[in-house]
Amino acid sequence: MKQLTALILLFVTLQGTLFAQEKDNFIACEVNGEAWKAEAKKMKIPGFGFEYLALAAFQVSPDVQVWIRMYYFKDELKPGTYNVISEEELQKTSKKKKSEDNLVWVLIDYTEETKGLGHAFHDGESLSGTLTIEELGEKFIKGTFEAKLNGVYYKKRTMATVSGSGIRGNLEDKLLTKAGGGMLANGGPHDHDNTKKLDETDSIVLSKGSFQVDWSKVEDKEESK
C-alpha cells in the first residue's frame, strides 16, 4: 500500500503526463434521463495500420464511468456519423478485410458502483446507437452520441469480501483514479476484479451525449522537456 501511495503522489505532482489533461476535456450525457458529466481522459494506441482510441470520463465515490472506444484503420477516422455496435458484433465485423469495407468500429459503455466500497456494479454493455464526430484533428476530437446499452450486474465474490481483498483493491483503484490515472486503474469499462457476473439484466440509455478531448497541450509539454 505504501508503494501505491508513493506512486499516486507521483501522478499528482507530474504535470503534462498522460493523466494531467486539460479540465475542459469532458464526456457528458443523460443516463436514463439523469444528467451526468465528468472530466475525460484519452488513450491512443497505434498499430500496424490499425488504431485504437479510447475516451473515458471518471467520477469517484461512487464510481461512475462512461467509455467511448473507437477501432479503425489508419487515416479512416473522419468527421461523420458512425453506428455504435456490441462487442459480439465487433468480433464478427473486425475480421473483414480492409479491401471489403473501410470500417470504423465504435463501442460506448457505462459502469456505476452500486454499493458501498465497490461490492457491486451496474454496467451497460455497448449495444446500439450512433456517434457523430463533429470536429477532428491530430490531437483533438469533439462530437455527440446516443446509445442503448445492455444492462448487467456484477457482485464481489464472497472470498474477496470476507478477506477484505476486494475492499483494498477497490480503494487502491479509487486513489489511482482520483489522481488522474483512471485508464490504468481500469483497463476497460467492465474491468471488475474479484467479481462475478449475475444473471439479472436490464437496459441503460445514454442520451444527449457530447464529448470533447484535446491532448495537444499535454503532448506539447512532454515534447518540450
Side-chain angles (χ1 to χ4, degrees):
M1 188 72 176
K2 290 182 179 179
Q3 291 180 340
L4 178 67
T5 302
L7 181 61
I8 290 169
L9 289 174
L10 178 63
F11 287 145
V12 173
T13 56
L14 283 176
Q15 297 298 313
T17 64
L18 169 67
F19 316 115
Q21 296 179 24
E22 299 303 311
K23 290 187 177 180
D24 56 352
N25 292 343
F26 68 87
I27 296 176
C29 63
E30 289 189 359
V31 181
N32 290 338
E34 295 292 327
W36 183 86
K37 181 178 181 180
E39 183 181 359
K41 310 292 182 180
K42 70 89 185 175
M43 179 184 295
K44 188 174 183 180
I45 302 175
F48 294 98
F50 193 75
E51 306 278 344
Y52 169 71
L53 174 61
L55 312 175
F58 301 90
Q59 172 188 309
V60 180
S61 297
D63 295 352
V64 180
Q65 303 172 24
V66 173
W67 285 68
I68 299 172
R69 294 177 289 162
M70 289 165 274
Y71 302 82
Y72 54 95
F73 289 105
K74 189 174 182 179
D75 300 326
E76 290 186 3
L77 189 66
K78 302 173 183 177
T81 299
Y82 302 93
N83 290 328
V84 174
I85 62 174
S86 65
E87 288 273 7
E88 183 178 2
E89 189 175 353
L90 172 66
Q91 295 301 319
K92 292 179 181 179
T93 59
S94 62
K95 294 178 181 179
K96 294 183 178 181
K97 295 181 180 179
K98 182 179 178 181
S99 58
E100 295 177 353
D101 272 306
N102 294 331
L103 294 176
V104 174
W105 300 281
V106 177
L107 291 89
I108 296 179
D109 295 84
Y110 174 83
T111 178
E112 65 174 329
E113 177 185 23
T114 58
K115 290 183 180 179
L117 296 173
H119 283 270
F121 299 90
H122 183 201
D123 284 14
E125 299 176 333
S126 185
L127 186 61
S128 63
T130 57
L131 177 139
T132 299
I133 297 176
E134 298 174 340
E135 299 179 34
L136 180 65
E138 184 179 351
K139 300 177 181 179
F140 176 80
I141 189 168
K142 177 181 179 180
T144 61
F145 65 91
E146 305 273 344
K148 183 177 180 181
L149 314 178
N150 178 46
V152 295
Y153 292 83
Y154 291 84
K155 184 179 180 181
K156 283 288 183 185
R157 295 186 182 279
T158 302
M159 185 57 67
T161 301
V162 173
S163 67
S165 63
I167 293 177
R168 287 195 300 273
N170 193 63
L171 285 173
E172 291 172 356
D173 286 350
K174 285 176 182 291
L175 288 171
L176 189 54
T177 300
K178 192 171 183 179
M183 295 186 113
L184 286 184
N186 306 272
H190 313 300
D191 184 16
H192 306 309
D193 292 335
N194 299 311
T195 63
K196 60 180 179 180
K197 195 174 183 178
L198 306 181
D199 294 332
E200 183 181 359
T201 61
D202 56 16
S203 294
I204 296 176
V205 176
L206 305 184
S207 58
K208 300 179 182 178
S210 61
F211 61 92
Q212 174 178 298
V213 182
D214 182 345
W215 58 95
S216 60
K217 295 180 182 178
V218 173
E219 296 189 356
D220 287 345
K221 288 177 183 178
E222 292 175 342
E223 291 171 359
S224 65
K225 290 181 180 180

